[in-house]
Amino acid sequence: LDLDLKSGELLGSPTNFEVRYTDLAGRIARLETPHGVIETPAFVPVVHPVHQSVSPKFLKSLGFDAIITNAYIALEHYGDIARKRGIHGIVNFDGVVMTDSGGYQVLEYGSINVNASTIAQFEKDIRSDICVPLDKPTGYGLDYHTAKNHVEQTLTNAKDTLSLVLENSNESEISRQDGAHEPIWAGPVQGAEHFDLVRYSASELDKMGYTIMALGSPVEIMETYEFSILAQMIASAKSVVPTKPIHLFGAGHPLTIPLAVALGCDMFDSASYMLYAKDDRYMHANGTARLEDLSYLTCHCAVCTKYSSPKELFDSNKEIRTIEIAKHNLYILKTELNTVKQAILDGRLWEYVIQKSRAHPKLMESIEILKDSNLLGPGTPIFKQRAIFFYDPLDQHRPEALHFRKMVSGFISTKSDGGQGKLILYPDSSVHPFYATRDFKKLAKKFPEAQICTYNRFLGIIPSEISDIFPAAHNLSAKLTTYQANNYNTFVESLKEFLTKNEFEEIIILADQFMKNIITNNKSVLKKFNTKVFDRVGDITSVP
Amino acid sequence: LDLDLKSGELLGSPTNFEVRYTDLAGRIARLETPHGVIETPAFVPVVHPVHQSVSPKFLKSLGFDAIITNAYIALEHYGDIARKRGIHGIVNFDGVVMTDSGGYQVLEYGSINVNASTIAQFEKDIRSDICVPLDKPTGYGLDYHTAKNHVEQTLTNAKDTLSLVLENSNESEISRQDGAHEPIWAGPVQGAEHFDLVRYSASELDKMGYTIMALGSPVEIMETYEFSILAQMIASAKSVVPTKPIHLFGAGHPLTIPLAVALGCDMFDSASYMLYAKDDRYMHANGTARLEDLSYLTCHCAVCTKYSSPKELFDSNKEIRTIEIAKHNLYILKTELNTVKQAILDGRLWEYVIQKSRAHPKLMESIEILKDSNLLGPGTPIFKQRAIFFYDPLDQHRPEALHFRKMVSGFISTKSDGGQGKLILYPDSSVHPFYATRDFKKLAKKFPEAQICTYNRFLGIIPSEISDIFPAAHNLSAKLTTYQANNYNTFVESLKEFLTKNEFEEIIILADQFMKNIITNNKSVLKKFNTKVFDRVGDITSVP
């Protein structure tokens, strides 16, 4: 089998995925499929091919443009009828239909009685828009050897599927040329907590030409709240396949969506809305709650406004109640997706993900992965239209702050005067840019020869000459005393580097409490300079 | 004028406010009024007595059981008609109607042409349920002298009103006895950023017998995002009047509601839903956005689900659009209130307020007030049904953590053996209580004579004997490396105190990274002991 570029085109051209906006590793994009375009990030509800308690029509009315259903069950239950009517006819949905292969059934029941080629042929025959080869999910908790075995088995299936696709395409050159019915093939990435296997798996599928990376089976990882493992799993796949769309299987917990988007996931499918509903679990912005534990309906969707209390909903007939909760859950998921997309456009995905992470301590622990600038840097715009918000020590690691400090590290002051010059360090305020402030003008008048800078715990040293550059002039910084100065290690680095690259004789500091603590904790950094520390600007300008 | 207890009863008996659940200084309560009971915390929408673009019927259908309207405008516009039909007939609302006096008009237009007694008599005549004497709002930014003048003027009005109420009640002893038409009187607390004036003002009104404290005019404070001042203003009123209900005037910014409830506010009124709508400002969970800046509708209320995009809503007729946005804004406010109430019941108001505070850096700065244990301690249950979540250094100041450390500070080990005993310090895990864990059993077997404790960065030292007491066995703690060990100053205090009150000869520590940093930073604390530090439990149990 020759895995050349051509196969890539056959498995769905990379050009059918157009990225429009990005923030962190998150992105808003358009994915073209045989049955129309969907916007990502997209939540793709699972629809059972036989039993549909929430109608696909309702899903469409909520704005879900794609659904996913199970090819294996469709094959077993409908067979030729499905081939004839097509999967869209079977599930009664005129949008985009993705088909899962039956891998989940493998996870649940051990194995199934069809092979990869049969499933792949069937997925083609029923005109699925996005197809997945038969995979062997790793789940969570397998030893390395077994997990590797599952990965290899899945890759073999993916190759068999590829052969079939190539064969078919040779047979029907004409139908392929109009492109109308060529599905997109998504490669099932397995490996779970064995991150090198995830990387290996994604890399192999990428080389084969699969257009979408479909990251397998985080269900168990999410059920045990191992969000750090989930985050590293996503980051592993993303690190080897940075541009192609990533689908995350079974990710229907509303908690995880913002983080997963920020790490680069573009699509999510799940039956959670229905599974949770059957268990009377009601989604809300911070997770799920058992309906009987709620005293208030914290939602105003079309379902919840019908009931005066959770009790009234809980007291209704079980069958009706399940559908009602499922619909409510879908509203919550839809709003979550819209909120994340709006955050991307606003350039505030970082703020949103971290805010959201305070829904659970385990989720909070997982967000330290956001410090990985290789992962988040490339997608984060260098300039943003809106101010960004800095809250606590985590935020010094924002890609925008990192980028700014890098820029400052290349700044060479024209005023160091061969080591004879003066440096003035002044606290950053919310009035920006600093060079346009009255304080700056006073200082510049008094010390025309001095290098004047502000300092900001999140951004480091800000030379006044570039104090209008994003985000120096486009941020709002919280100054809490709870977080001690020595949490801001990037600040100390920025100060040290500035003093090394630009030599001064004298440093005049207007020190707020933060800077006073920095000075106390870093005496060695300043001891070789003639350093004067003041409390008030009036004291500086009255220096002789 | 004799301000005895009797006047208190006349102004609305304190017994008409029944607190049912509390968390922090927040509470869920029932307030009885002549037109029925309302549950607090309650948002009380402002309804214009003449021009109603959103019908009171719609407000009722959303679950708003109380509205507020303006007595001064009703007097000017309707006069005797209002006296005859009653304010409920005028505004066409059969729930609870509160009347503002015209103080806001004073703020807007300087002064109005009626006196306190006239307004008070009118409010009674129109059978308002909750009445406010004519006040002279301090707004924000007045110098101390002028602000004090406004406070005194308002207190004089409050006294005049009281005279009138007492006089009336003597005249109509019979109608008063059945109590059906006796309104509740709310005392207008002024002073704004002059917190001693706020305390003085609240204290005087309390003494006069006013049942509700109506905290004046934070509108300008909120518009400038001075949330810290707002928080201190509320805390000032609460500190002198801890039990009576507090109404916060003009607090319609969705951002501020969770914090205001946590600090003890029970009611909020605002016309913001309509004022914002007129300006095309769309409320969302984190604040407001200009409709034209949105690409996605981040809501699923009955209004938003009618439109496919913000643009479609924005392109509609201005008049229709204004009402649509106003209705949407009301849905958001209602859900916010329900979410806060559910958080009180769940014992997770602290978590919710801090999560919410990440909507704006200025809001985040204001939450350091939550460290005030005098304010938040009394209302926080000593035992909670659900686990609490610890995230970052702020959370060491939770009332529950403070309470636990206080309890431990009274713990006297029976195993210190006159200074000859052993102390074992072991990291807390998520398996609780510690005394039931396998690790504990191993340790206890190896060291039957030793005092065994766990340590938790948020709770301090936890003797295994009381490791089942809330919240030692009922918490989930995030362990991020971003927040350095020396942020946890309460931990160091707890350790020091334990070692002072209980004398040991030897300390055996299984040290995680956090504890290693604590040891490095606090060498003097441990130097007088024979201290052994281990990395793994196996190393401890193999100690000879």
Side-chain angles (χ1 to χ4, degrees):
Chain A
L1 183 66
D2 180 29
L3 299 171
D4 58 11
L5 272 177
K6 190 170 157 240
S7 71
E9 284 160 32
L10 289 170
L11 293 163
S13 159
T15 59
N16 65 7
F17 184 66
E18 185 203 348
V19 174
R20 308 187 70 198
Y21 306 96
T22 63
D23 197 19
L24 309 183
R27 50 199 180 181
I28 295 177
R30 290 159 51 90
L31 178 70
E32 244 177 76
T33 81
H35 282 81
V37 171
I38 54 171
E39 187 178 78
T40 62
F43 180 78
V44 182
V46 170
V47 167
H48 196 282
V50 185
H51 315 289
Q52 296 169 9
S53 5
V54 172
S55 75
K57 198 177 156 191
F58 177 79
L59 296 172
K60 192 84 192 253
S61 77
L62 248 64
F64 293 107
D65 295 326
I67 61 168
I68 184 168
T69 192
N70 188 296
Y72 173 71
I73 296 172
L75 172 63
E76 292 288 296
H77 194 272
Y78 295 104
D80 279 344
I81 300 171
R83 290 191 185 93
K84 195 172 156 197
R85 293 174 53 196
I87 193 67
H88 295 77
I90 292 289
V91 295
N92 193 22
F93 187 74
D94 63 359
V96 174
V97 178
M98 180 170 179
T99 43
D100 194 3
S101 57
Y104 189 71
Q105 276 64 32
V106 175
L107 193 65
E108 291 277 290
Y109 310 115
S111 69
I112 57 176
N113 57 348
V114 290
N115 64 28
S117 301
T118 311
I119 285 285
Q121 184 63 52
F122 184 70
E123 288 183 271
K124 272 186 73 82
D125 290 347
I126 59 177
R127 279 89 76 196
S128 164
D129 294 298
I130 304 172
C131 306
V132 183
L134 187 64
D135 54 347
K136 191 160 185 178
T138 23
Y140 177 45
L142 290 189
D143 65 79
Y144 188 84
H145 179 76
T146 313
K148 188 160 195 306
N149 191 286
H150 285 218
V151 166
E152 293 293 2
Q153 179 66 55
T154 302
L155 290 174
T156 302
N157 286 353
K159 274 182 199 159
D160 291 349
T161 299
L162 192 58
S163 306
L164 181 103
V165 172
L166 287 170
E167 218 168 87
N168 271 5
S169 78
N170 293 337
E171 279 166 17
S172 55
E173 192 71 23
I174 296 156
S175 79
R176 194 174 63 77
Q177 273 183 348
D178 78 0
H181 289 121
E182 285 304 317
I184 299 170
W185 285 87
V189 179
Q190 296 297 341
E193 73 270 35
H194 307 291
F195 307 126
D196 66 322
L197 292 182
V198 172
R199 282 190 294 271
Y200 165 67
S201 178
S203 168
E204 290 298 306
L205 292 163
D206 181 33
K207 278 189 268 174
M208 285 184 211
Y210 281 90
T211 302
I212 295 179
M213 296 292 114
L215 193 51
S217 44
V219 174
E220 289 167 285
I221 296 173
M222 286 192 288
E223 277 173 359
T224 50
Y225 282 67
E226 294 296 348
F227 300 123
S228 287
I229 289 174
L230 175 68
Q232 289 174 76
M233 192 177 95
I234 298 169
S236 301
K238 186 78 181 168
S239 67
V240 292
V241 189
T243 54
K244 291 183 179 177
I246 295 183
H247 178 93
L248 187 62
F249 275 122
H253 202 302
L255 274 190
T256 54
I257 289 175
L259 178 64
V261 169
L263 296 175
C265 291
D266 303 289
M267 294 163 66
F268 309 86
D269 77 89
S270 177
S272 59
Y273 67 98
M274 181 51 75
L275 298 175
Y276 289 175
K278 285 181 180 166
D279 202 23
D280 286 317
R281 283 171 72 191
Y282 179 92
M283 289 187 188
H284 55 78
N286 274 339
T288 63
R290 299 191 63 81
L291 188 60
E292 63 265 43
D293 291 341
L294 287 177
S295 295
Y296 300 95
L297 291 167
T298 57
C299 173
H300 46 249
C301 74
V303 173
C304 293
T305 48
K306 275 196 286 181
Y307 298 90
S308 65
S309 69
K311 191 174 181 318
E312 191 188 340
L313 175 53
F314 191 68
D315 287 346
S316 67
N317 167 293
K318 170 74 185 167
E319 204 170 322
I320 292 171
R321 182 171 86 224
T322 301
I323 295 172
E324 292 283 65
I325 300 174
K327 286 182 174 179
H328 156 82
N329 288 345
L330 286 162
Y331 278 113
I332 294 287
L333 286 163
K334 182 67 191 165
T335 292
E336 190 58 60
L337 261 295
N338 277 1
T339 304
V340 169
K341 287 198 269 189
Q342 188 61 46
I344 292 175
L345 289 181
D346 290 342
R348 300 230 177 110
L349 186 55
W350 177 281
E351 286 89 330
Y352 185 61
V353 170
I354 294 188
Q355 182 185 43
K356 200 82 184 181
S357 76
R358 278 185 167 267
H360 196 277
K362 290 272 215 174
L363 189 61
M364 179 87 166
E365 282 178 350
S366 76
I367 59 165
E368 288 196 314
I369 200 171
L370 297 179
K371 294 180 186 174
D372 179 352
S373 60
N374 292 328
L375 186 65
L376 303 189
T380 305
I382 290 170
F383 302 104
K384 288 182 169 181
Q385 288 201 307
R386 309 183 61 177
I388 58 175
F389 293 155
F390 289 122
Y391 294 100
D392 87 2
L394 261 173
D395 297 329
Q396 66 188 308
H397 302 287
R398 279 188 79 127
E400 300 91 337
L402 190 73
H403 182 265
F404 187 78
R405 285 192 301 268
K406 262 196 191 149
M407 193 169 52
V408 171
S409 86
F411 178 87
I412 302 300
S413 173
T414 58
K415 297 183 168 173
S416 72
D417 196 17
Q420 306 293 304
K422 268 194 182 68
L423 170 65
I424 297 177
L425 296 179
Y426 201 82
D428 189 27
S429 79
S430 59
V431 188
H432 295 134
F434 180 61
Y435 66 59
T437 65
R438 200 195 290 183
D439 282 358
F440 172 80
K441 284 168 189 162
K442 266 194 218 164
L443 291 169
K445 194 174 169 191
K446 171 83 184 176
F447 304 105
E449 307 298 324
Q451 173 63 47
I452 305 175
C453 298
T454 52
Y455 57 87
N456 174 304
R457 64 190 74 187
F458 302 100
L459 292 173
I461 303 302
I462 306 170
S464 58
E465 293 86 342
I466 57 169
S467 64
D468 58 348
I469 289 185
F470 182 87
H474 319 76
N475 75 82
L476 266 170
S477 303
K479 294 173 182 176
L480 279 77
T481 59
T482 303
Y483 308 113
Q484 295 185 8
N486 52 6
N487 286 300
Y488 297 87
N489 56 310
T490 63
F491 181 86
V492 176
E493 291 311 310
S494 165
L495 175 63
K496 277 188 200 166
E497 193 176 10
F498 194 81
L499 296 180
T500 307
K501 293 204 171 159
N502 301 281
E503 283 181 47
F504 297 98
E505 190 186 17
E506 189 180 347
I507 307 180
I508 297 172
I509 306 176
L510 184 73
D512 58 13
Q513 192 53 53
F514 168 77
M515 188 52 124
K516 283 179 190 164
N517 294 340
I518 291 285
I519 293 169
T520 306
N521 299 340
N522 298 277
K523 279 180 182 146
S524 63
V525 176
L526 294 168
K527 72 176 176 208
K528 64 179 250 195
F529 303 96
N530 175 5
T531 306
K532 291 178 180 141
V533 179
F534 297 94
D535 273 339
R536 289 177 309 185
V537 64
D539 298 337
I540 294 189
T541 48
S542 62
V543 166
Chain B
L1 184 62
D2 180 28
L3 300 174
D4 58 11
L5 273 177
K6 188 170 159 241
S7 70
E9 284 160 34
L10 289 170
L11 293 163
S13 159
T15 58
N16 64 6
F17 184 66
E18 184 204 345
V19 174
R20 308 187 70 199
Y21 306 97
T22 62
D23 197 19
L24 309 183
R27 50 199 179 181
I28 295 176
R30 291 158 50 91
L31 179 69
E32 245 178 76
T33 82
H35 282 81
V37 172
I38 54 172
E39 187 179 79
T40 63
F43 180 78
V44 182
V46 170
V47 167
H48 195 282
V50 185
H51 315 290
Q52 296 170 7
S53 3
V54 172
S55 75
K57 198 177 155 191
F58 176 80
L59 296 172
K60 193 85 192 252
S61 77
L62 248 65
F64 293 108
D65 295 326
I67 61 168
I68 183 168
T69 192
N70 187 296
Y72 173 70
I73 297 172
L75 173 63
E76 291 290 295
H77 194 271
Y78 296 103
D80 279 344
I81 300 172
R83 287 188 186 95
K84 195 173 156 199
R85 291 176 52 198
I87 192 64
H88 294 77
I90 291 290
V91 297
N92 193 23
F93 187 75
D94 63 359
V96 175
V97 177
M98 178 171 180
T99 44
D100 194 5
S101 58
Y104 189 72
Q105 277 64 32
V106 175
L107 193 65
E108 291 277 289
Y109 311 116
S111 69
I112 56 176
N113 57 348
V114 290
N115 64 29
S117 301
T118 311
I119 284 285
Q121 184 62 52
F122 183 71
E123 288 182 272
K124 272 188 73 82
D125 290 347
I126 59 178
R127 280 88 75 196
S128 166
D129 295 297
I130 304 172
C131 307
V132 184
L134 188 63
D135 55 345
K136 191 160 185 178
T138 24
Y140 177 46
L142 290 188
D143 65 80
Y144 188 84
H145 179 77
T146 312
K148 187 160 198 306
N149 192 286
H150 284 219
V151 166
E152 293 293 2
Q153 179 67 59
T154 301
L155 289 174
T156 302
N157 286 354
K159 275 182 198 160
D160 291 350
T161 299
L162 192 57
S163 305
L164 181 103
V165 173
L166 288 170
E167 218 168 88
N168 272 4
S169 76
N170 293 337
E171 280 167 15
S172 54
E173 192 71 25
I174 296 155
S175 78
R176 194 172 63 75
Q177 274 182 345
D178 78 358
H181 289 121
E182 285 305 316
I184 299 169
W185 285 87
V189 179
Q190 296 298 342
E193 72 271 34
H194 307 291
F195 307 125
D196 66 321
L197 293 181
V198 172
R199 281 189 296 269
Y200 166 67
S201 180
S203 168
E204 290 298 306
L205 291 162
D206 181 34
K207 278 188 268 175
M208 284 183 211
Y210 281 90
T211 302
I212 296 179
M213 297 291 115
L215 194 50
S217 43
V219 174
E220 289 166 285
I221 296 173
M222 285 192 286
E223 277 174 0
T224 51
Y225 282 66
E226 294 295 348
F227 300 123
S228 286
I229 289 174
L230 175 68
Q232 289 174 76
M233 192 176 96
I234 298 168
S236 301
K238 186 77 182 170
S239 68
V240 291
V241 189
T243 53
K244 291 183 178 176
I246 296 184
H247 178 93
L248 187 62
F249 275 123
H253 202 301
L255 273 190
T256 53
I257 289 175
L259 179 64
V261 170
L263 295 175
C265 291
D266 303 288
M267 294 163 66
F268 309 87
D269 77 272
S270 177
S272 59
Y273 67 98
M274 181 50 77
L275 298 175
Y276 288 175
K278 284 181 180 165
D279 203 22
D280 287 317
R281 283 171 73 190
Y282 178 93
M283 288 185 190
H284 56 79
N286 273 338
T288 64
R290 299 191 63 80
L291 189 59
E292 62 266 43
D293 291 341
L294 288 178
S295 294
Y296 300 94
L297 291 167
T298 56
C299 173
H300 46 248
C301 74
V303 173
C304 293
T305 47
K306 277 197 284 181
Y307 298 89
S308 64
S309 68
K311 192 173 180 318
E312 191 188 340
L313 175 54
F314 191 69
D315 287 346
S316 67
N317 166 292
K318 169 75 185 166
E319 205 170 321
I320 292 172
R321 182 172 84 225
T322 300
I323 295 172
E324 291 283 68
I325 300 175
K327 286 182 173 177
H328 156 82
N329 288 346
L330 286 163
Y331 277 112
I332 295 288
L333 287 163
K334 183 68 192 164
T335 293
E336 189 59 60
L337 261 296
N338 277 1
T339 304
V340 169
K341 287 197 269 190
Q342 187 62 46
I344 291 175
L345 290 181
D346 290 342
R348 300 234 175 107
L349 187 56
W350 176 282
E351 286 89 331
Y352 185 61
V353 170
I354 294 188
Q355 181 184 44
K356 200 82 183 180
S357 77
R358 278 186 167 264
H360 196 278
K362 291 271 215 176
L363 190 60
M364 179 86 167
E365 282 178 351
S366 76
I367 58 165
E368 288 197 314
I369 200 170
L370 297 180
K371 294 180 188 174
D372 179 350
S373 59
N374 291 328
L375 186 63
L376 303 189
T380 305
I382 289 172
F383 302 104
K384 288 182 169 182
Q385 287 201 309
R386 308 183 62 175
I388 58 174
F389 293 155
F390 289 123
Y391 294 101
D392 86 4
L394 261 172
D395 297 328
Q396 68 189 305
H397 303 287
R398 281 188 78 129
E400 299 92 338
L402 190 74
H403 182 265
F404 186 79
R405 285 191 302 268
K406 262 196 191 150
M407 194 169 51
V408 171
S409 86
F411 178 88
I412 302 300
S413 173
T414 58
K415 298 182 169 176
S416 71
D417 195 18
Q420 306 294 301
K422 268 194 183 65
L423 169 66
I424 298 176
L425 296 179
Y426 200 81
D428 189 27
S429 77
S430 59
V431 187
H432 294 134
F434 180 61
Y435 67 58
T437 64
R438 199 194 293 184
D439 282 358
F440 172 80
K441 285 168 188 163
K442 266 193 220 166
L443 290 169
K445 193 174 170 191
K446 170 82 184 174
F447 305 105
E449 307 299 320
Q451 171 65 46
I452 305 175
C453 299
T454 52
Y455 57 88
N456 174 303
R457 64 190 72 188
F458 303 100
L459 292 173
I461 302 303
I462 306 170
S464 57
E465 292 85 343
I466 56 168
S467 63
D468 57 348
I469 289 185
F470 182 87
H474 320 75
N475 75 83
L476 265 171
S477 304
K479 294 173 181 176
L480 279 77
T481 59
T482 302
Y483 309 114
Q484 297 185 6
N486 53 4
N487 287 299
Y488 298 87
N489 55 308
T490 62
F491 181 87
V492 176
E493 290 312 310
S494 164
L495 175 63
K496 276 188 200 165
E497 194 176 11
F498 194 82
L499 295 180
T500 307
K501 293 203 172 160
N502 301 281
E503 282 181 51
F504 296 97
E505 188 186 19
E506 188 180 348
I507 307 180
I508 297 172
I509 307 177
L510 183 72
D512 59 12
Q513 192 53 54
F514 168 78
M515 187 51 122
K516 283 179 189 164
N517 294 339
I518 291 285
I519 293 169
T520 306
N521 298 340
N522 298 279
K523 280 181 182 145
S524 63
V525 176
L526 295 169
K527 72 177 175 204
K528 63 178 249 196
F529 302 97
N530 175 6
T531 306
K532 291 180 182 138
V533 179
F534 297 92
D535 273 338
R536 290 177 308 186
V537 66
D539 298 339
I540 294 189
T541 47
S542 62
V543 165

